Amino acid sequence: MKITRSLAALAAAGSAVALAACGTPSGGSGGNGGDADGDATSIVWDMWAGSESDIAALEEQLAIAQEENPDLDISLQHAPWNDYFTKLTTNLASGNVACVTSMNGQRLSGYHEAFLPLGEEELEIAGIDPADFTDGAMDIMSYDGTLYGVPYDVAAMLLYYNKDHFAEAGVDEPQAGWTFDDFDATLEGLGADGTAFGMGMGEFQWMSLPIARAGVQPVDESGALDLTNPAFVEASQWYASIAADGYGSIPPSASDTGWGEQEYQAGNVAMAVDGTWNAVSYLNNEAGFEAGMVDLPSADGERLGLVLGSGYGISADCEDPEAALQVLGSLVGEAAQDQIASSGRSYPARVDSQPLYFESLDEGVRDDVQAAFEAVFTGLEGQRSTDDWAQVNEAIQPDLVTVYTGQSTISDVLEQTQQQFGE
């Protein structure tokens, strides 16, 4: 594969990282092609996994893919999320990217050149009909109009709230279809003691409310960085005012990258924004409070939400892409998607499997979760990003603390970042 500028930058960064930082393969070498005996084509599937339960769930999907492809020798290699992309970058530098490689949709822009573009022919080989997937789901694994993978899950951002905290404050719980005026009134009712809302530090944990309020993304339709779009700047200033007005819990340092979610999980704040992927963990929170969830508020009847998620792509260097496509088809096929849904671990991209996700939940919360998901997965659009989108967010994140504490302004931070990364 030709190493172009964006991939070269990733590979250069990765080559400086010791191989010891890489994850733990559970099978295969990460290479492609046939096995040593020449009896079967060997296909390696590379995925992130952070716990023994994660690995066990992946091995169940591996077994499904293997059963559906008895003539192939499929193996799984994995690494914790925090190491996965370091390992992938190292593999790019060494030309050892697994034939079936997992990719988070929000990071695809920086890695798209490592993947085989997928057209009608490739999807037919994999046995995939995009119509079987959630509307807009293919956008997750697309970049600049080209499909580079197929999603296995879909996600969107929700507002999670602490029902106990609301009851103690005597404030009505938010309802689906609520507005930003309702949100502001809710903050006022909860009080300005810094416990109403957990300020976000992660990309979508802070950016989702400004995007929903502004109705624009910080990357325009041409793919150019647009952080200084007046509507986005104004909405970001509103977001920063949550902290300035005393309603937000402010992270003590830039290293607290999961601050808002952690404060919510601990029961320290009444509300926080996070993805649908954490719905089950919040419902079963160790702090013991009763959790609720609702779609993000709308402005003037309009709300822009983004469809997020992850999927699998085929390495551009795979020696047997047809075999890899067969494995990809199985990993996002009905049986594997039913397994993902039934486990409650993530919300599957395949529509017919999604009811199983709700059936996996306790009856006491099932209807509320389904109502929230149905509301939030309506009218979404795919996230637009630039080649260096990850670096853009890495540049913004450390400055959010100074914004929240009033030492800088979000408009200055967005302007400086636009000047640094914009064309």
Side-chain angles (χ1 to χ4, degrees), residues 199 206 210 213 229-245 403-404 409-412 414:
M199 301 303 294
W206 86 263
R213 185 179 177 94
N229 181 299
F232 183 72
V233 172
E234 182 178 355
S236 299
Q237 291 170 329
W238 165 83
Y239 183 82
S241 74
I242 297 173
D245 292 344
V403 169
Y404 298 157
T409 67
I410 190 66
S411 55
D412 285 346
L414 295 176

Side-chain angles (χ1 to χ4, degrees), residues 274-287:
D274 202 5
T276 50
W277 55 84
N278 272 331
V280 173
S281 62
Y282 288 148
L283 290 169
N284 300 315
N285 67 84
E286 294 183 358

